[in-house]
């Protein structure tokens, strides 16, 4: 007996009612399944659609109207099928299916499937038209002077966004279905001749190896693409921007678009990529370079400054100049807890506020910032629970963390680790934490490209490009190639 | 075998001896600056001789050092695995002790030495699991920090330089030759990275000889600058210090930072952890060759427990710091690889005669 567990490879039956019964059995007559029986030139047929997954106007005007006008004497199923598949243009996408797995996958993707009596096959027409979000500005990768287009949740729309920017036949898309239950459409995108074939093969292999029931966000897939899952950082780059996606494809990376998420994945990826934005390529090189260096500095500030402050003020006060030291002593004298406890509590408090601000509706989120930042902060200093200097440190750290949002998860945890390390053993702890961080970053290597490139292994040109932005006149002479960062020339 | 570039080899070796270089005791034998600089040159010349056999050995075949030993005879393979493994184990324990006592005496008197040892070795063990490629990349980042630190020390004390501080006429020790050679051997004894070089050379992709010679060139350049600068700033006072270049870092100050020594300590910690990672990695490699099955945590636990026990019984001062390392360096870097070459040649000759 056919069920939802064993239908995948079952061939489509011959009789129309057998087909309809099988489909209804597999889907347990689910409420969103529509099967309309119709007679086309005397042959019994049925059209299978899924509720709200297709353009009603399109299907009724073009498909049904066209089918109903077809009249021939002594017509049989094969003739109707030939008409549907060879003599009509009902849609730009048409597929003949032979098993229930493919039939239902297409139906659930918004295709209209025509079943014909007496044939062990069916034909599906692409008439998708479900509700979707309009292409709009990305919420995370915000820029000032670049494009306002961002990926949306529909993978086919995302493909078109990429194609519009790269009108080359070398741009290739390969569609796979991932997720045993969700059968999510996942698209591998690459530019032939730019991306190494090994990268494409490796990505395809990894995607096919995913045995998850569902794939609902990019996070489900990125884990499987990473070589070192224990690392703090991810070697898979995420972006919401088609322009960034195209730029990275042109550098030889392989992109992955996933149905249901506006975040596209790119691999292989390197650490320094987190510090460049599309705006860098709009501004003048000197300013873009300055901003990029500022971002590196902000990364250092956001992970290390609270810890270093705790370490210096607690164990190495001789490092501070005399006047600064006196000021710090005066502000810290009245506070009841050890410095590192104060900073740790303030950082946790900041994280609570940030998380509340993100999850709450925007109108209320603003209020959280006011309550947290102004009222509680001010009260904490006045009551002597924390010193004013700590508020400055926490404030600078929090602000700096917004400068490199793509690695916010990592910096949040590392910051706490640095505070604890500095609080327990001063700059020795900071040194240990730094060594651990460097080990962690440097041990990562996906697709033969070290995550720490081009800093280590050092590649002069790429290093200069990662520190600053070269002029387009120089850039046009040689396109960056990710595969050249493997240190082979070092 | 995964490969590293010649530059990565130089950087890795440089970082592994950075702490020792920048806290180097050049004046145990009370030599004046010229003699001290000269002894550094002689020491480098001796080390150049020592590295010839490993270079010849790897130029003949790109095989791992232990594999070459096992190819000669199983007994030799096991014996050398034990010998080198023991050396790297010993050096790990010694490094953990040296740095922990340095920290305890100079900076962190509130922290017990065993705790420092455990923390250092734990991060070192984590690093050792990154493999040679990962370690070389880590050293690549570490070297940037060291270069910055080195130049900050140099430039922040430039105002204190006085050419009259260089007292060439410092009283010469009674037995000059013995003192001079003592200094040469002391400098060679501190070059335990040369033993690591024996194992690292097969990992290098190309230009092994050039890379090794470049490293030696950089090493002598940095050492000479440090000796010269220490004398130029500290004068005769440098002669009485066990760590004159470290003293410069306490001397250095700018309008923003009053004293730099604790910041340098942070950088030295990074260097020491990288070095301990390299040593633990090589120790583990030798253990593997012995075909002993053990949990991976063993590579961390064994040196750590040994170092903690030695610290607990106060044996670092009485034993660990007094072991004549120069014999180990000469034997393990020069003589044994030479013996391996010789054994091979003897076999080849015999095979030819047969």
């Amino acid at each position: 007996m056919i069920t939802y567990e064993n239908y995948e490879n079952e061939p489509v039956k011959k009789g129309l009612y057998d087909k309809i019964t099988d489909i209804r059995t597999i889907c347990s007559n689910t409420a969103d399944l529509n099967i309309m029986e119709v007679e086309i030139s005397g042959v019994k047929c049925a059209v299978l659609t899924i509720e709200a997954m297709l353009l009603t106007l399109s299907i009724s005007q073009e498909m049904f109207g066209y089918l109903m006008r077809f009249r021939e004497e002594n017509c049989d199923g094969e003739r109707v099928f030939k008409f549907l598949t060879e003599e009509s243009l009902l849609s730009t996408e048409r597929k003949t299916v032979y098993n229930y797995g493919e039939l239902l996958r297409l139906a659930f993707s918004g295709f209209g499937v025509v079943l014909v009596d007496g044939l062990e096959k069916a034909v599906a027409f692409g008439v998708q038209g479900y509700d979707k979000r309009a292409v709009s500005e990305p919420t995370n990768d915000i820029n000032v002077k670049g494009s306002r287009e961002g990926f949306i949740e529909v993978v086919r729309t995302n493909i078109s966004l990429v194609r519009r920017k790269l009108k080359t036949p070398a741009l290739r898309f390969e569609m796979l279905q991932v997720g045993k239950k969700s059968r999510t459409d996942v698209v591998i995108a690459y530019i032939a001749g730019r991306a190494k074939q090994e990268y494409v093969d490796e990505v395809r292999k990894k995607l096919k190896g995913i045995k998850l029931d569902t794939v609902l966000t990019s996070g489900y897939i990125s884990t499987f693409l990473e070589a070192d899952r224990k690392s703090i950082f991810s070697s898979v780059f995420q972006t919401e921007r088609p322009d960034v996606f195209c730029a990275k494809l042109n550098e030889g990376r392989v992109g992955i678009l996933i149905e249901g998420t506006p975040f596209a994945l790119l691999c292989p990826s390197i650490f320094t990529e987190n510090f460049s934005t599309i705006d860098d390529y709009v501004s003048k090189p000197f300013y873009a370079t300055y901003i990029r260096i500022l971002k590196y500095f902000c990364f250092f500030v956001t992970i290390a400054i609270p810890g270093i402050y705790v370490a210096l003020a607690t164990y190495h006060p001789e490092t501070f100049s005399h006047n600064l030291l006196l000021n710090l002593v005066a502000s810290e004298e009245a506070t009841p807890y050890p410095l590192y406890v104060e900073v740790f509590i303030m950082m946790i408090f900041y994280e609570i506020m940030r998380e509340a601000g993100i999850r709450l509706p925007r109108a209320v989120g603003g209020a959280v910032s006011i309550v947290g930042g102004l009222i509680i902060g001010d009260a904490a200093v006045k009551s002597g629970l924390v010193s004013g200097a700590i508020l400055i440190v926490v404030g600078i750290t929090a602000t700096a963390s917004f400068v490199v949002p793509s690695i916010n998860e990592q910096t949040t945890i590392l910051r706490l680790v640095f505070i604890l390390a500095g609080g327990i053993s001063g700059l020795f702890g900071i040194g240990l934490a730094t060594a651990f961080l460097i080990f962690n970053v440097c041990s990562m290597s996906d697709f033969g490209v070290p995550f720490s490139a081009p800093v280590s292994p050092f590649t002069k040109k790429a290093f200069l490009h990662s520190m600053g932005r070269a002029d387009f006149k120089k850039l046009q002479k040689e396109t960056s190639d990710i595969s050249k960062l493997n240190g082979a020339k070092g | 075998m995964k490969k590293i570039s010649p530059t990565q080899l130089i950087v890795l070796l440089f970082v592994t001896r950075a702490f020792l270089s920048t806290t180097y005791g050049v004046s145990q034998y009370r030599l004046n600056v010229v003699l001290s600089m000269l002894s550094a040159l002689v020491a480098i010349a001796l080390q150049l001789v020592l590295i010839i056999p490993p270079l010849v050995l790897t130029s003949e075949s790109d095989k791992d050092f232990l594999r070459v030993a096992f190819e000669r005879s199983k007994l030799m393979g096991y014996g050398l695995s034990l010998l080198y493994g023991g050396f790297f184990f010993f050096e790990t324990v010694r490094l953990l002790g040296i740095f922990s006592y340095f920290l305890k005496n100079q900076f962190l008197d509130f922290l017990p030495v065993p705790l420092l040892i455990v923390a250092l070795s734990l991060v070192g063990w984590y690093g050792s699991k990154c493999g040679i490629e990962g370690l070389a990349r880590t050293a690549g980042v570490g070297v940037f920090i060291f270069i910055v630190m080195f130049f900050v020390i140099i430039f922040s004390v430039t105002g204190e330089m006085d050419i009259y501080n260089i007292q060439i006429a410092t009283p010469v020790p009674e037995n000059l030759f013995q003192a001079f050679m003592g200094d040469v051997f002391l400098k060679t004894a501190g070059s335990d990275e040369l033993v690591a070089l024996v194992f690292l050379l097969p990992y290098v992709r190309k230009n092994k000889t050039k890379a090794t010679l470049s490293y030696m060139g950089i090493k002598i350049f940095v050492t000479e600058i440090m000796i010269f600068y220490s004398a130029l700033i500290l004068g005769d006072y440098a002669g009485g210090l066990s760590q004159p270049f470290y003293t410069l870092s306490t001397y250095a100050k700018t309008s923003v930072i009053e004293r730099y020594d604790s910041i340098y300590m942070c950088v030295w910690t990074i260097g020491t952890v990288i070095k301990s990672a390299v040593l633990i990695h090589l120790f583990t490699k030798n253990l593997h060759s012995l075909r002993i099955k053990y949990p991976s945590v063993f590579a961390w636990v064994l040196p750590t427990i040994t170092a903690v026990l030695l610290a607990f019984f106060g044996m670092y001062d009485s034993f660990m710091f007094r072991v004549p390392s120069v014999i180990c360096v000469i034997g393990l870097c020069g003589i044994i690889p030479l013996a391996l070459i010789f054994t091979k040649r003897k076999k080849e000759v015999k095979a030819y005669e047969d």
Side-chain angles (χ1 to χ4, degrees), chain A residues 159-175:
Chain A
I159 289 174
S160 74
L161 290 173
V162 177
R163 176 62 77 186
R164 269 163 44 197
K165 287 184 165 51
L166 291 170
K167 298 179 190 77
T168 164
L171 174 65
R172 308 280 160 81
F173 294 105
E174 273 182 44
M175 194 174 277

Side-chain angles (χ1 to χ4, degrees), chain B residues 41-52:
Chain B
L41 271 175
V42 176
I44 284 288
L46 176 63
Q47 289 164 33
L48 280 171
V49 174
L50 287 179
I51 58 169
I52 292 171

Side-chain angles (χ1 to χ4, degrees), chain A residues 55-66:
Chain A
L55 285 169
T56 318
L57 191 68
S58 162
I59 196 164
S60 53
Q61 277 181 354
E62 294 167 23
M63 204 168 160
F64 293 168
Y66 212 79

Side-chain angles (χ1 to χ4, degrees), chain A residues 265-291:
Chain A
L265 306 177
L266 285 147
C267 51
S269 154
I270 53 173
F271 181 66
T272 54
E273 274 180 301
N274 295 298
F275 300 88
S276 63
T277 59
I278 201 76
D279 273 338
D280 297 348
Y281 296 88
V282 182
S283 311
K284 285 274 186 187
F286 72 89
Y287 184 71
T289 304
Y290 162 71
I291 290 295

Side-chain angles (χ1 to χ4, degrees), chain A residues 228 230-231 312 315-316 318-322 324 424-436 438-445 450-453 455-458 463 486-490, chain B residues 5-8 99 103 107-108 110-111 116 119-120 123-124 126-127 130 133-142 144-145 205-206 255-259 261-263 265-266 269-270 273-274 277:
Chain A
D228 184 3
K230 287 177 192 162
S231 180
L312 291 179
Y315 301 108
H316 316 284
E318 73 280 1
T319 312
F320 294 121
S321 64
H322 187 65
L324 178 60
I424 293 167
S425 54
L427 286 177
F428 168 66
I430 297 292
L432 286 182
T434 309
F436 170 77
I438 303 173
F439 278 137
N440 196 275
V441 170
C442 292
S443 62
M444 287 168 69
S445 177
F451 191 57
S452 52
V455 178
S456 185
F458 186 74
F463 176 76
N486 59 6
K489 284 189 176 176
Chain B
S5 68
T7 317
Q8 284 182 312
F99 196 68
L103 288 173
F107 298 98
L108 304 167
F110 57 92
L111 283 176
L116 295 171
L120 274 172
V123 184
Y126 172 75
C130 299
E133 267 195 310
L135 286 170
R137 291 199 288 265
T138 306
V141 178
F144 275 104
I145 306 173
R205 220 175 273 134
K206 57 187 177 184
S255 55
V256 181
I257 294 171
E258 199 71 18
R259 276 178 61 154
D261 50 347
S262 46
I263 295 169
M265 177 266 284
C266 180
T269 305
I270 298 169
V273 169
I274 295 173

Side-chain angles (χ1 to χ4, degrees), chain A residues 238-446:
Chain A
Q238 293 201 17
T239 183
E240 266 187 281
R241 305 190 62 87
D243 44 11
V244 172
F245 189 79
C246 293
K248 306 270 180 212
L249 289 186
N250 194 39
E251 288 175 359
R253 290 175 174 82
V254 179
I256 297 120
L257 300 165
I258 304 152
E259 177 73 33
T261 172
F263 290 93
L265 306 177
L266 285 147
C267 51
S269 154
I270 53 173
F271 181 66
T272 54
E273 274 180 301
N274 295 298
F275 300 88
S276 63
T277 59
I278 201 76
D279 273 338
D280 297 348
Y281 296 88
V282 182
S283 311
K284 285 274 186 187
F286 72 89
Y287 184 71
T289 304
Y290 162 71
I291 290 295
R292 215 173 265 184
I293 291 168
L294 191 72
K295 281 180 194 160
Y296 286 106
F297 177 69
C298 285
F299 171 71
F300 168 74
V301 167
T302 193
I303 62 162
I305 284 297
I308 290 176
Y309 171 72
V310 168
L312 291 179
T314 312
Y315 301 108
H316 316 284
E318 73 280 1
T319 312
F320 294 121
S321 64
H322 187 65
N323 288 342
L324 178 60
L325 187 60
L326 289 179
N327 287 343
L328 288 178
V329 170
S331 67
E332 280 299 328
E333 230 173 14
T335 57
Y337 302 115
L339 192 60
Y340 78 95
V341 176
E342 282 178 46
V343 176
F344 195 83
I345 290 171
M346 287 308 290
M347 284 315 318
I348 293 286
F349 178 65
Y350 156 69
E351 290 301 331
I352 292 169
M353 281 199 305
R354 196 180 62 83
E355 197 61 21
I358 294 170
R359 308 288 163 210
L360 280 171
R362 281 188 186 173
V364 191
V368 169
S369 309
I370 296 166
V371 171
L374 296 177
I375 301 173
I376 301 178
D378 187 48
V381 175
K382 279 185 181 163
S383 63
L385 276 174
V386 293
S387 69
I390 286 179
L391 274 193
I392 295 171
V393 170
V394 172
I396 291 170
T397 308
T399 313
S401 70
F402 299 132
V403 177
V404 198
S406 57
I407 42 176
N408 186 53
E409 293 168 15
Q410 289 82 3
T411 53
T412 301
I413 300 301
L414 285 171
R415 192 186 305 138
L416 298 177
V417 170
F418 272 73
I419 293 169
L420 287 177
I424 293 167
S425 54
L427 286 177
F428 168 66
I430 297 292
L432 286 182
T434 309
F436 170 77
L437 176 63
I438 303 173
F439 278 137
N440 196 275
V441 170
C442 292
S443 62
M444 287 168 69
S445 177
D446 264 7

